[in-house]
Amino acid sequence: MGEKITGAQSLVYALEAAGVDVAFGIPGGAILPLYDPLMDSPKVRHILVRHEQGAGHAAEGYAAATGRVGVCMATSGPGATNLVTPIADANMDSVPIVAITGQVPSGSIGTDAFQEADIRGITMPITKHNFLITNPDEIPRAIAEAFHLASTGRPGPVLVDVSKDAMQAKTEFIWPTSIDLPGYHPVTKPHAKQVREAARMIMAAKQPVLYVGGGVIRARASDTLRRLADLTGIPVVTTLMARGAFPDSHPQHLGMPGMHGTVAAVGALQKSDLLITLGARFDDRVTGHLESFAPNAAVIHADIDPAEIGKNRQADVPIVGDLAEIIPELILAIEAEQLAGKVGEYEAWWALLNRMRATYPLGYESFDDGTLAPQYVIERLGLISGPESIYASGVGQHQMWASQFIGYEHPNTWLNSGGLGTMGYAVPAAMGAKVGCPDKTVWAIDGDGCFQMTNQELATCAINDIPIKVALINNGNLGMVRQWQTLFYNQRYSNTNLQTNRIPDFVKLAEAYGCYGLRCESMEQVDATIEKALGMNDAFVVIDFVVHPDAMVWPMVAAGTSNDDIMVARAMAPDWGDH
C-alpha cells in the first residue's frame, strides 16, 4: 500500500506528472481543497487572474505560443461557466487546453446546491471530451487521459470536473503507465495510395493553389510546407489561423484569403483548378457563398480530423493523417513524379496572379485632417518590433488589419480568436504567451471595445511581472460593427459609439493598473512612441493610439455573397483578368 494522501494532493501530483509548469485560475469554495496543496508544489506556478475568462484565454495564449497544453482552473457554478467562452474558443481554433473545475460534493449534485452548475453537460458540445470525477482514485488517470486527448489528434479543450468530496477523501497516487481509450485512435500516417494520387493531380494541374490552414501550425509542419512550396513552385495562401505558417516574405505567398483577404489570394482560389488543402476547413469566412467558391477546382483535402473532410466541400482526394507525416510523403511522391519526367507548368498561372498582385495590392486611405490611419500604426508596429515578436489580437477591424499589415515569418507568432471571434481575447492571451515565452516581445493589439472586456488582467500582469505591451487601436467605436452599419444599414450607427470625453481615459487606466500609459495621436509620433515602449524592456506599457473612426477594412466580401463580388475600397468586383 502506498502513502494515503488527499484527492487534491493526488491532483497536484498528477499535474506535475503531466508536465504542467503553470496554471491560470481563481479559487473558490468547491475547488478550495486543491489550492492548499497547490501552494506547496515546487513545479506548478499558479497565476491568480482577475476573471475566469482571463484564465481560459491565458491558457490558450500559452498553448498557441508554445505548442504545449495550457491549463486553467476555476471553482464550481459561475467560476466554471465563466470558462465556457474560452473553452468554446479553444474548440473552434483547435487549441490544446485542460480546464480543471471544482464541483459541489457528489451527494449534492443534482440538488441545485449553492454554486452548482452542470459544467460537464454545458461543455459537452465544446470539448473533445470531459470528465466528472467523484472517486478520488480516478483522478490521476483522468488527468493523464485529459492531457493525452488535448494534445493528440486534432488538438482541443478537455474539461476535468472534480467534486469537492473527491478532493477531500483519501487515496493513493498511481500514475498510469499506459493510456487505452477505446474509440480514440487518431490516424497519423496517411494512406500511401491517396498521397500518390494527390501527387499525380498536382503535377497535372495548370492552376493549383496550396490552401493552408491553421492545422499546419498545430502540426508543427511549417518547415516541410516550405519545402513543398519550394519544390513545386505553387502559389500559397494562408488563412487567418495560418498566418506565419508560411513566410510572408516568400515570393510564392499571395497572402490571406477570405472575407478580408488579398485580391490575389481570393482570386487564386476562385480561378484555381486544384485546391491542395492542408489543415484548413473551408470555413465560411474563406469560402463566402459556398456554391460559388472555387467553382472549377478539384480538391485534395488533408486533415487530421476525418470529420472535416467533405463537411463543407467534397474532396476528390481525401487524406486523413498528421500533416507532419503527410507533407513529407507528398514531397517524396512529387519527387518521384518529377524523376519520371513530369513538370508543373505554371507560367500562365503566375502571370495572371502577378497581374492581380500588382493591380490590387493591400492599401489604405490616409486622412486629410491629420488623424491617424490605424493601418499605418499596425504596419509600423510590425516593422519596428519585427517578426520575432508575438502578436495577439482582439476581434474586429484591428484583428483584420493586424493580419494584413504585419509581416509574419514564423509559426506561433500570431494569436487570435478565429473561429469564435471572441472580443476580449488579446490581453489575457498575450499574458499567457508571455508566460510561456518570457524572452519574446509580446504585443496585445486590441480595440477599445475588446480592451474594456478583459483589461483587468493588466493587474495580473503587473503583480506577477508579466511585461506585455498593449497597442490600443482606439477609434471610439465598435469598429467592425460600425463598418457594417456604414455599408449595409444606411449609416445608422445604433449602439456602436463607445466614447465621449475620453471615458475611460486609457492612459490613466493603465497607470491605475500599475502600467505605463502613453498616448499617440499623430503620424509623427508613431515610431517614437513604439520605440519608447520597446525600450522599456521589462515594463508593462499601454499605448492609446487615437485613430480615425471611419477607417475601413478592405478588401471585403460581404457575408453570404460570392468571393467574385469582393469589394476593393468601395469599388465593386475587380477584373480578375483572363486565363
Side-chain angles (χ1 to χ4, degrees):
M1 291 287 286
E3 178 199 355
K4 285 288 186 182
I5 56 173
T6 65
Q9 184 69 68
S10 178
L11 183 45
V12 172
Y13 288 164
L15 293 174
E16 291 174 350
V20 176
D21 59 358
V22 66
F24 303 89
I26 303 182
I31 202 170
L32 208 52
L34 173 62
Y35 272 78
D36 186 60
L38 188 62
M39 195 175 183
D40 301 322
S41 173
K43 296 178 181 175
V44 182
R45 175 189 181 193
H46 181 274
I47 293 175
L48 174 63
V49 296
R50 295 303 179 269
H51 190 290
E52 290 90 356
Q53 184 181 352
H57 291 320
E60 285 189 279
Y62 174 94
T66 65
R68 301 196 294 274
V69 178
V71 178
C72 53
M73 47 182 63
T75 195
S76 62
T81 58
N82 279 345
L83 286 178
V84 168
T85 296
I87 289 169
D89 195 85
N91 191 55
M92 287 284 263
D93 288 347
S94 305
V95 182
I97 66 170
V98 170
I100 295 160
T101 52
Q103 184 53 277
V104 299
S106 56
S108 300
I109 291 175
T111 69
D112 292 336
F114 177 65
Q115 289 193 332
E116 182 187 358
D118 177 11
I119 197 61
R120 189 171 185 224
I122 289 167
T123 60
M124 193 79 75
I126 53 169
T127 49
K128 275 188 81 173
H129 189 67
N130 58 25
F131 301 82
L132 170 59
I133 305 299
T134 57
N135 178 349
D137 298 343
E138 296 174 4
I139 288 171
R141 179 167 292 281
I143 293 295
E145 290 177 356
F147 278 82
H148 177 72
L149 285 163
S151 59
T152 56
R154 180 181 184 167
V158 180
L159 178 120
V160 183
D161 193 32
V162 188
S163 67
K164 187 172 185 177
D165 57 317
M167 288 192 232
Q168 292 170 320
K170 293 293 184 181
T171 185
E172 290 179 68
F173 176 72
I174 303 171
W175 187 247
T177 53
S178 63
I179 290 175
D180 178 33
L181 293 165
Y184 182 74
H185 301 288
V187 174
T188 59
K189 188 171 176 56
H191 196 292
K193 178 178 173 291
Q194 299 297 87
V195 173
R196 288 196 301 272
E197 180 59 26
R200 279 197 293 272
M201 285 182 74
I202 289 167
M203 300 315 292
K206 294 282 186 267
Q207 301 189 166
V209 179
L210 283 159
Y211 164 27
V212 174
V216 169
I217 291 176
R218 298 289 181 257
R220 300 179 175 90
S222 298
D223 289 344
T224 48
L225 170 66
R226 173 79 182 264
R227 279 173 45 216
L228 176 64
D230 288 338
L231 174 69
T232 60
I234 292 171
V236 179
V237 302
T238 52
T239 68
L240 180 68
M241 290 306 299
R243 305 291 290 115
F246 190 73
D248 276 352
S249 59
H250 196 288
Q252 284 164 241
H253 195 209
L254 300 178
M256 181 176 77
M259 179 176 267
H260 296 293
T262 65
V263 171
V266 173
L269 293 176
Q270 288 304 95
K271 293 294 183 186
S272 174
D273 64 358
L274 178 65
L275 301 181
I276 306 153
T277 309
L278 303 174
R281 57 189 180 89
F282 292 89
D283 177 70
D284 61 277
R285 300 288 103 162
V286 168
T287 66
H289 181 244
L290 189 61
E291 281 66 39
S292 63
F293 175 68
N296 303 314
V299 173
I300 297 165
H301 194 174
D303 203 286
I304 189 106
D305 185 354
E308 285 299 343
I309 297 176
K311 185 180 84 174
N312 292 330
R313 174 71 174 254
Q314 191 60 39
D316 298 278
V317 180
I319 307 175
V320 177
D322 187 335
L323 289 165
E325 296 188 41
I326 292 172
I327 297 174
E329 293 207 13
L330 192 54
I331 288 169
L332 290 173
I334 289 170
E335 286 173 340
E337 291 280 316
Q338 291 174 338
L339 280 172
K342 302 280 176 60
V343 183
E345 296 176 3
Y346 311 132
E347 291 80 2
W349 182 219
W350 271 112
L352 172 62
L353 297 175
N354 285 329
R355 215 161 42 242
M356 280 190 214
R357 251 201 302 216
T359 309
Y360 301 104
L362 274 177
Y364 53 88
E365 57 189 324
S366 52
F367 299 98
D368 295 337
D369 63 0
T371 48
L372 263 178
Q375 302 95 325
Y376 176 77
V377 170
I378 290 169
E379 189 173 51
R380 297 305 301 164
L381 179 66
L383 287 168
I384 294 168
S385 195
E388 303 304 319
S389 299
I390 293 173
Y391 303 90
S393 93
V395 168
Q397 288 181 315
H398 64 281
Q399 174 190 25
M400 294 300 107
W401 292 322
S403 70
Q404 292 173 330
F405 291 103
I406 292 175
Y408 298 99
E409 299 294 308
H410 311 292
N412 307 102
T413 55
W414 162 244
L415 316 180
N416 83 118
S417 170
L420 198 64
T422 306
M423 290 179 68
Y425 171 90
V427 169
M431 176 173 74
K434 183 67 176 176
V435 170
C437 305
D439 298 331
K440 293 251 190 186
T441 298
V442 180
W443 285 94
I445 299 173
D446 223 355
D448 50 320
C450 288
F451 184 65
Q452 292 184 79
M453 294 195 174
T454 51
N455 62 29
Q456 67 272 18
E457 299 310 334
L458 289 178
T460 311
C461 290
I463 290 167
N464 291 282
D465 195 26
I466 308 166
I468 66 169
K469 320 274 186 204
V470 181
L472 190 57
I473 307 302
N474 177 7
N475 63 5
N477 284 273
L478 296 172
M480 187 63 90
V481 186
R482 180 183 169 90
Q483 174 164 333
W484 282 50
Q485 288 171 335
T486 300
L487 295 173
F488 309 121
Y489 292 91
N490 298 320
Q491 300 180 30
R492 285 164 56 81
Y493 299 118
S494 170
N495 291 282
T496 42
N497 186 300
L498 290 169
Q499 259 195 61
T500 48
N501 304 323
R502 284 203 171 131
I503 297 173
D505 182 322
F506 290 117
V507 171
K508 288 180 180 173
L509 186 66
E511 290 168 351
Y513 277 129
C515 305
Y516 289 98
L518 308 173
R519 181 169 286 123
C520 177
E521 301 186 68
S522 69
M523 278 181 65
E524 298 74 44
Q525 298 173 315
V526 169
D527 284 18
T529 307
I530 293 168
E531 282 160 0
K532 182 176 181 181
L534 286 169
M536 301 165 155
N537 284 332
D538 295 320
F540 326 91
V541 186
V542 176
I543 309 175
D544 181 13
F545 288 105
V546 182
V547 301
H548 197 285
D550 287 320
M552 294 274 208
V553 182
W554 301 112
M556 180 176 181
V557 179
T561 65
S562 169
N563 282 346
D564 291 329
D565 297 328
I566 188 170
M567 295 184 281
V568 188
R570 295 182 198 265
M572 290 305 286
D575 177 10
W576 296 126
D578 295 322
H579 287 228

